[in-house]
Amino acid sequence: ADRGQAPAAADAVATYCDDLQGVRVEGVRMFSPRIARRFYAALRICGVVSLGELIDEDTLQAVAQLEAATRSSFEAGQGGKGLAAAALSDPRVRGRGQNRFEVELPALALNASVVAHPVLHPLIGLALGTAGVELDAISSVVAYPGAALQDHHADTSEIVDVLRRQGELPQLPAHGAIAIVPLVPLDPKKNGGTQFELGSHISRLRDTELRTRPAISNSGDAYIYDLRTRHGGLPHAGSAPRPLLSLPYVKDWYVDAVNHPTRHTEAFDAVNDTTL
């Protein structure tokens, strides 16, 4: 479609994504062709998909405990001044806006069923169109009470951005996707979460008004979005921290020089599938 058809295309994307019941796939405990089809369609057209009941409760609790312990260690290491102080001196902690932080987690301490999830991993490979997929980093994105509304943004820019937006190059397939596993239930009106611009990963729709949708999550759910999809954190009006486990997957040739510029260490490369 040319640029004049972009508004109609954006409406078609919004209608299709509504038909997918909030871009959600229920009961994702085992890989199946039905799940694969719905996942692939939602991610490619909508730019985001929600997977229900992906992580079992025991694994979720183990990850939550690791996240809380790691975050507490960074806070204690700054004399109790909190993550804002840690973000000024430790590269493993980054500020992501008012009362929002990203904290690097120890990958090898995570449960193997998260790092090499038997359903999520092949779904990501399907979406990216290759078996050459790397887990770029593992971190917690945590919002504290009082976190404000974030501006909508994409985590990285497009490849050959300007020419593609002008319609001189075709839309490329995704080069990365981020899986988010909320470690507490998400309620957009209370503890925030994330909202997404449906179809914003499609370059020719970027300058068009797009429908937004908040991520609503129960225990064990996950949502996955194309690395190019525009999104923003919602205000946190609750009373407790709201941590999200972030798992960014990329094609093995791609380096996210914005968020995760360093490559894996030799120790990580030495870990084989059996270890995971």
Side-chain angles (χ1 to χ4, degrees), residues 159-185:
I159 298 173
V160 200
D161 176 66
V162 175
L163 291 177
R164 184 157 294 102
R165 192 174 299 188
Q166 292 174 346
E168 298 178 20
L169 292 174
Q171 174 79 9
L172 288 178
H175 53 277
I178 297 182
I180 297 293
V181 180
L183 301 181
V184 296

Side-chain angles (χ1 to χ4, degrees), residues 85-100:
L88 296 176
S89 58
D90 195 319
R92 294 171 295 176
V93 180
R94 294 189 177 193
R96 297 302 188 196
Q98 180 185 357
N99 287 5
R100 296 180 193 274

